[in-house]
Each structure stands twice: as C-alpha cells, then as structure tokens.
Amino acid sequence: MPDPSVGTGQAGAHSAGASPHVHPRHPRLDPLADRYAARTHGMKSSEIRALFSVVSRPEVVSLAGGMPAVTALPLDAVGSMIGDLVSGMGAQTLQYGSGQGDPRLRERICDVMALEGITDASPSEVVVTVGSQQGLDLVTRVFCDPGDVILAEGPSYVGALGVFQAAQARVRHVPMDDDGLVPEALEQALVECRARGDRVKFLYTVPNYHNPGGVTLSEPRREQIMAIAERFDLLIVEDNPYGLLGFDREPMRALRARDDQRVIYLGSFSKTFSPGLRVGWVLAPLAVREKLVLATEAQVLCPPSLTQYAVARYLDTQPWREQIKIFTELYRERRDATLESLAALMPPGTTWTRPDGGFYVWLKLPAGLDAKLMQPRAVAAHVAYVPGIGFYADGSGREYMRLSYCFPEPHRIREGVRRLARVIEAELDLHSTFDGVDTGSFRAVPASPSGPPRVVEPEGSGPFIGPANSDRNEDRQP
Amino acid sequence: MPDPSVGTGQAGAHSAGASPHVHPRHPRLDPLADRYAARTHGMKSSEIRALFSVVSRPEVVSLAGGMPAVTALPLDAVGSMIGDLVSGMGAQTLQYGSGQGDPRLRERICDVMALEGITDASPSEVVVTVGSQQGLDLVTRVFCDPGDVILAEGPSYVGALGVFQAAQARVRHVPMDDDGLVPEALEQALVECRARGDRVKFLYTVPNYHNPGGVTLSEPRREQIMAIAERFDLLIVEDNPYGLLGFDREPMRALRARDDQRVIYLGSFSKTFSPGLRVGWVLAPLAVREKLVLATEAQVLCPPSLTQYAVARYLDTQPWREQIKIFTELYRERRDATLESLAALMPPGTTWTRPDGGFYVWLKLPAGLDAKLMQPRAVAAHVAYVPGIGFYADGSGREYMRLSYCFPEPHRIREGVRRLARVIEAELDLHSTFDGVDTGSFRAVPASPSGPPRVVEPEGSGPFIGPANSDRNEDRQP
C-alpha cells in the first residue's frame, strides 16, 4: 500500500456500513482509481435503482418499479412443483448444465414464441439466459466494439442503455409516437449515420407495450421497418418481454416472424411467470447463437439449472396460458385505474400515453416542469415515479416520467395519481410565481410551504431542495 | 437479405439440427461475419465443453468433468426447504431483488469466509454473483481494457482464460510447483512486465487445491506473495471455490485475510452446496464493489432471488458444515482411488500431483507424448480426460492432462485409470516404434492394432487418427 493512511481510512469507511459517500467523490480516496477499465468511466446508478430505498417505505405509493404481481401465481402449487424437482431430480436440478441451456426448456420456449407467429424456430437456435438482460448484454458484447452505434427508440429501456454504455457503444435515439417507432425517423437516422460513416450495429426495439413508452408498434409500421432494415442491411434486436401481456387483444406478430436472419429476438419469463427465477432467452441465427453460447460460457458457465427446470416444469404441468390471462386481467384493471385517475386529476398541459398492454404509462409534464427536479417533492408527498431522463442516453427527457401500474392495487394507484397531481399543481404554481425569474433551470426552488405534505428536508440541508440533496437517493442501499 | 440463396442455405442448416459444421468454417456463409465485435475473434470452444457429448455415454469413465457429487446432499430435505420458500415467501423468492444480492445471504457469506480467516468482511462489501464465474467476469470487466496483462498460474482454470480472452486481455503464465505459485517466478514476471511497460492489472490465482494443478499454495509462500504484491503494488484476485474441501486438514488462511485492500476474493457455493443454483460472490473493497454492482446490474439486473434464498435458508437450517465433511470424505476416498491406481498402473516416466483437497490431479505424460493427440484413442478406449493445452493461454501444456476424481465412484476411477494406463502404454509403444521417424509431430499416427479396445474410427475417415478427426468432438452438442 503506497499510503497506509489511505488504506486505513477506507477500512474505517467499511466498518461504518452505509456511508453516505459510498461512491467515491474524491478519486484519491480510491487507491485503485487509475486502474479501472475505460468502460467503467460512464457507469452510473440508474434512475430506477436510485429509488429502491424510497419505494420500500409503506407510506409511499410507488409508481416507479416494474415489479410484476407475482403473488397472483398459485404459490402453493409452484412451491410443491419446485420442491419435487429438487427431491426427485436433484442430480440434474442441482448440477451444472449446458451453457446453451436445458434442451427441454428450449423446446418449450419455441412453443411460447409460436404464440407470436414465430413458427420456424428450432431449439438449437435458442440460448437460455439469466433474464433477457443477460441476453441483451451477450448480443451487445458479440456485436459492439467501442464507438459502434446502436439505434434505439427515444425513450428506451433504462437497462438496455446500461448495457450499451458498458459496451462503450454510442446510442442514437429514434423518435416514437403513439404507433411506436417512426419509420421515417429510422430511415433518416440510417441515412445520417451512413453519411457520417458510423458503424450502426443494430436497431434495439421494444415493439410491444414499450418500456417506458407504453406504446405498441402498429402492424403497418412493422412492415415498413422490416423493409427499411432490408434496404439498409440493418440487424434488429427485438426485445419482447411484454408481448403476451396485451389487454383484450391477440399478440402482435413478432418482427422475428418476418425475418429469421435479420432479427435477433429476446424473450423473458419475468413477466409471464417470475422475474426472481431470472430465465430469459435469445433466439438467433445459428452463427450468432454459436458466439452467444461462447460468450455466456465465459460469463456464467451455464444458467442456473434449478430455475430452468422450474420454468420447463411449470410450462409442462401448470395452466400457464390461463395464468397469463389472470395477470393481464389484473394489469388491465390497474391500467384502467391509472388512466381514469390521470384523466380526472391531472392539470391541463399534462399528457400521457394509453397502453393496451404491459406495465407503463409515459407522462409528459406541462411546459417548463422537470420530473427529475420535482422528484424530491413527490417523494415527500409519498408518491414515486421514475424521471424520464434515465431513459435517454443523451440527457434529454427531463419533462417526462414513467408511471408503472403493474404492482400497486387500484385504490393505491388512484391515491398515488392524486398525490402526483397535487405535486404537479404545486410545481405549476411555483413556476408561474417565478415565471421570468432565472431560477438556474429550477436548480434551487424553495420548497412550497403551501404544497401538500411538507418536504422532509435531509438532515443538515438548508431550506433549498435541489440536485445536491436528491443525489442522496443515489447512494447504494442493499 | 443481400443474397437470398445464402439465407436459404442457412435456414436449411437450421432445420437439419446438429450440423457437423455448426461453427462456420467459411465466413462467407455467415452474412454477419464482418459485423462481430473484435472480442469475438479469439472465442473458441473450451477443451472441456468439447467433451460434453463423450462423457455422457455410460460406457465411458469420465475423468474429465468437474461435476460435484450433488447426490450426496439430503435431497428430500433440500427439496422441501426450497418448496417451502416458494410457497411461503413467493412474494420475495419469485420477485426481482437487489443487484448486489440478498442482504441476509451476504451476512451468511461473511460467516462462511470466517472459516478461512476472513473475519473483517462486511456484508456491504459482498456482491452475490451467478456463480463465481460471473464474479470473475465482472472483476475483469471492471479492470481490464484490451491489451492489459493478467498474471495467472500456468496452468490456469480454463474458465478464467475464457473470461480474460473475452476481455481481450493478455495472459502471462507464472509457473507453479508442488507448493503452488512460485514467488520468484512471480517477481521475475513483474520485473519483466514493468520493463516492457505492460499494464499488469492483477494476479489471478487459485491458491487452494488448484484447478487443474491440484496443488496448494504453502503458508510461507502466501506471505512471500503478499510481500511481492505489496512491493509491486499488485492487485490479487483470489479465486477460492475449493478452500473448504481439504482432506483431514483445517482450511488455509486466505490471502484476503492478510490484506483487505489488495485482494479481491471470489467465493462459490458450487462445491460446498450446489453448482446448479449458480450462487457465488465477490468480496471487494467498497470502491470496487460499487463498480461491480453497476456492472452486474448492466449484465443480469440482479442474481436470481430463489437460488439466493435457497442458499441462505440452507445455511440457516441445514447442517452445512457436516455436509461439507460428507463431501470431503467422499472426495478423499476418490482421490485415494486415483492416486493408488496411478501408482500401481502408470508406466515409468508418467508423473502427477498429489492433491490433499479439491477435485483434480494434474498428470504429465512420458516424454514425447501429447495428451491432445492421444485423446481420440483414450475416448475409443472409453476413458476421458481434459488435455492440458486448454489450461494455457499460450498453446503450451500438450504433455499434460487433468484428471477429475470428484464424480465417478472409486471402482469406476480404478477402471478409468487402468484404461488410461493402457492407452499411454500403447502410445509409448508407438512412440518407440516411430522413434526417429518424422511423424509430423504425431499428426498422423496409425491406430495401434495391438492396443486394447480397437480405435473406433469416425465414419468416412481413413486408417489415420489425428486432429482432423478429433476436431469433431468440438462440434456443439446441446
């Protein structure tokens, strides 16, 4: 240790437990600061993770997390099913398995994909992954060198942006509207990238019940986008965790069903069964699959056997299609509660999307408001959301927020929207009061004494609430 | 698709299932061949994976795989324990969890590490990973840019070499002997790297019951190596899956117990409980842990909840220390069978290590023999091992093989060693017959008509067995 006092200081910080400055603000305090790989430089805590400690408080209505309603599962049946798997098949379920994943599960995955029109998939083209997050990470590692460009909807799934950042890829957002990704905008982006000599590795898209957008790519646009991909020789990564969660409608036909060579498909059991098992998959042409298997072997050797057997047995023995209906019925009710409350309570100038499946509403605040800066006040008012800025790689999206209706019960959703509406109204009051005054981009707005629940000020802070305080939410909480 | 005929050809290959040429030998057959990331160029199937299809045949005695004896677990008790976890705690065990891992499990992990002298670890410094393989991948991603140098024992764990290759890091091997890594060789390597301006990111070491070496770093050498690390300001990654699997001896004191800032420790429940759960961990200084959590969130969001709860509950309610004794007793018996058979049967000139824990014996063939070239003949004689070449990043190690005694029962081990001895003797006969004749480095040696079980020649091959045929073993089998 070049400087023992530094080491001692760090050891002290360890034993102190959850220090408020876990993320080292002064590089000299981290003796390894000059040794990290370049890819770590842009790593930061996601907007969602930052809220973990907040949403676990029972008095807060969380419209932030995307946690499925797993308690709607028949837990006793699933429990005894998994218990039997271990008691009766421990030699398999507790042992190492193949890197590509259990063959029987891969067969059942092909059955599931057939519901979205993918009828030609072979189990040999499927790689089982630790959630579809790992699938996206593997695809990105296989295709992207630093500096490569990935096209993605604006906004995009925050977890995907984290993967792309870790790969040191550059993200170019392509706008969406109520019918999903705008084909003309995709074409324009491709033309511009080609003119600049950018290496565009793929389009990353969530066509169904977009996270966070809540919108679905329309059937005509699917055809248009496939035609553009053909014309520009563009690879598409279709991320589809929500495709079977439509309300009162049949599943859309997947992009992968239209081209088995140009589309790499990511699937997940996190929303149709359980996220705690972390079972997802990639469907890819054989040459790509070969590389994905090598990459996953280097990363995790093989996915957990027990969780794979649990999913395969669940699909074999439990009424999983009926269970998806139970889930979607429940989510539809919560979606309705959300949309009804928003329509009844939101002040003029607020707009939002109207999802017909999935988990999310994407809300735009009235002009001039900033969801990130408003967040501490919302938390003080006991309602949580995810600020839109986290869903863009380029720092835009401050006027947006994501509302998740998947987890809270309808009466809680209504209460949460009511609180949120009051917070927005209070912001609008402030905004009109300070209109024309330079408030440093709302960086230091006094907490409203007239607003609903008084802002709880962090210990040691002054009367002003701003980013310096909201940063506290970003300290790691287990 | 620029060339539809190519697409059609590939689709045909898909439906044909396990094609013998899955790995594209002609890049033009893969329309994406020019789009992969640079890190994929050196990816190749490991020597161990290549044997998967072989070792599953019941007539073959496999001394190849490193599969723990999970059926020695009390499967009924573990099954009902896990079933109860799902039935009773489904809201947690089937739900997303924290990226860092379940806090209760991290506490119990600290208890486990205390058995090896790590008494100052805090749960906040622990990151739960999908097996310790993911832990090593995360550490490597956090520290290594392409071209960085990693020091590692020669030989080294094949899965680690896969991680380092995927990170485009360069591996420099440091010799071992019966007392483990040779300190003088480590120092020499560091001096040479410094002189060349190499960026050495860390030493990767498996100090206990080395895979594949079977040797253990002695206590005096641990102190010497820590002193060298101090002098050269070297970071150490201590990979310790086997540390509690010593035969008739107390666990060695971990390197991490000697320096909490310079050593990053990787642990695993794969050998003390179950590999099919894929639960491992990293213990790292807080600043590093912070980066590891961000990296794992980008990779898998969070480790599976169910498997983490299963391990924590197992440690809470089952006699896990006694179970480790049951495992080690069983492995000791198999180690004895291996060493006794080797001593009784191996021809002169063959040497091997004598492990006092863990899973592996590292065997050196008599001069002139090549374990990789001999492999098809061994498989034909119904015994499997892993050729040593896979455990080196630099192509050396052809005279070595790894024998695993962890999985087969003692009578099978004895039979396997007997078969292996005959194969080696037959090789020696051939070798003396052809001595002085240029056989192209043994690239085309006729199958011995006098040897034991006649070599089964792959369909369509001539009377010569060589690498072109043994390559067949490397085709992917699900």
Side-chain angles (χ1 to χ4, degrees), chain B residues 182-245:
Chain B
V182 178
E184 295 74 19
L186 173 63
E187 183 155 5
Q188 187 188 333
L190 284 163
V191 168
E192 288 172 14
C193 286
R194 190 172 275 185
R196 272 206 304 272
D198 287 339
R199 288 166 303 175
V200 175
K201 284 301 174 76
F202 53 79
L203 165 69
Y204 169 77
T205 179
V206 179
N208 296 313
Y209 322 121
H210 188 269
N211 178 3
V215 300
T216 293
L217 190 64
S218 68
E219 178 58 34
R221 286 207 178 162
R222 288 177 192 235
E223 288 302 316
Q224 285 174 275
I225 281 166
M226 293 313 298
I228 292 169
E230 181 84 13
R231 203 155 68 247
F232 285 83
D233 194 17
L234 174 68
L235 195 65
I236 296 175
V237 177
E238 178 178 28
D239 188 5
N240 190 27
Y242 309 102
L244 297 179
L245 297 186

Side-chain angles (χ1 to χ4, degrees), chain A residues 13-359:
Chain A
H14 296 183
S15 55
S19 150
H21 291 109
V22 162
H23 192 91
R25 288 160 203 272
H26 306 291
R28 70 177 179 279
L29 288 182
D30 178 4
L32 301 171
D34 57 345
R35 304 207 193 172
Y36 298 115
R39 68 175 66 84
T40 65
H41 297 160
M43 282 185 179
K44 59 180 173 57
S45 183
S46 88
E47 294 291 334
I48 293 178
R49 214 264 300 275
L51 292 165
F52 254 48
S53 59
V54 167
V55 301
S56 60
R57 283 154 50 191
E59 69 273 23
V60 174
V61 174
S62 174
L63 303 170
M67 295 194 297
V70 291
T71 49
L73 286 164
L75 295 179
D76 283 339
V78 175
S80 63
M81 181 197 87
I82 295 178
D84 290 349
L85 274 173
V86 174
S87 305
M89 296 182 63
Q92 292 81 42
T93 57
L94 298 181
Q95 190 55 275
Y96 289 114
S98 120
Q100 190 177 352
D102 175 50
R104 172 140 195 89
L105 174 60
R106 287 189 277 118
E107 281 176 26
R108 301 313 313 269
I109 284 171
C110 290
D111 298 343
V112 172
M113 290 190 292
L115 299 179
E116 303 186 277
I118 303 172
T119 54
D120 63 342
S122 149
S124 67
E125 297 170 296
V126 173
V127 182
V128 180
T129 55
V130 183
S132 67
Q133 182 79 19
Q134 195 213 1
L136 182 59
D137 185 66
L138 293 173
V139 169
T140 306
R141 287 176 92 166
V142 160
F143 281 102
C144 293
D145 287 309
D148 285 351
V149 170
I150 295 168
L151 303 179
E153 286 122 351
S156 259
Y157 167 52
V158 61
L161 298 182
V163 169
F164 303 153
Q165 187 279 324
Q168 298 167 269
R170 292 178 293 150
V171 173
R172 180 182 165 130
H173 288 295
V174 180
M176 286 191 295
D177 62 20
D178 285 345
D179 289 324
L181 190 71
V182 178
E184 295 74 18
L186 173 64
E187 183 154 6
Q188 187 188 335
L190 284 162
V191 167
E192 288 172 13
C193 287
R194 189 172 275 186
R196 272 206 305 270
D198 286 341
R199 289 166 304 175
V200 176
K201 284 301 173 78
F202 53 78
L203 165 68
Y204 169 77
T205 178
V206 179
N208 296 313
Y209 321 121
H210 189 270
N211 177 5
V215 300
T216 293
L217 190 64
S218 69
E219 178 58 35
R221 287 208 178 161
R222 289 177 191 235
E223 288 302 316
Q224 286 175 275
I225 281 168
M226 293 313 298
I228 291 169
E230 182 83 14
R231 202 153 70 246
F232 284 84
D233 195 16
L234 174 69
L235 194 65
I236 295 175
V237 177
E238 177 178 30
D239 188 5
N240 189 28
Y242 308 103
L244 297 180
L245 297 186
F247 307 146
D248 311 313
R249 57 181 288 178
E250 290 301 301
M252 301 282 286
R253 190 160 162 262
L255 299 178
R256 167 58 179 73
R258 300 155 206 261
D259 191 326
D260 67 341
Q261 294 298 309
R262 190 172 294 296
V263 182
I264 295 174
Y265 177 97
L266 303 177
S268 173
F269 289 105
S270 290
K271 280 78 184 183
T272 52
F273 180 24
S274 154
L277 301 180
R278 312 300 302 119
V279 179
W281 71 90
V282 186
L283 173 70
L286 279 183
V288 177
R289 184 230 55 186
E290 175 74 9
K291 290 183 165 40
L292 293 173
V293 172
L294 293 171
T296 195
E297 287 176 340
Q299 200 169 90
V300 299
L301 282 186
C302 61
S305 300
L306 176 60
T307 55
Q308 293 183 79
Y309 275 86
V311 173
R313 179 68 63 92
Y314 178 78
L315 295 173
D316 273 342
T317 65
Q318 303 289 317
W320 61 274
R321 289 178 184 80
E322 290 71 19
Q323 180 63 42
I324 291 176
K325 284 211 186 80
I326 291 170
F327 279 133
T328 52
E329 193 50 39
L330 183 148
Y331 296 136
R332 190 177 59 75
E333 201 185 333
R334 294 175 184 188
R335 187 271 320 254
D336 290 345
T338 308
L339 293 183
E340 285 161 17
S341 307
L342 288 170
L345 298 167
M346 279 293 146
T350 317
T351 59
W352 54 88
T353 56
R354 283 160 188 79
D356 51 1
F359 286 7

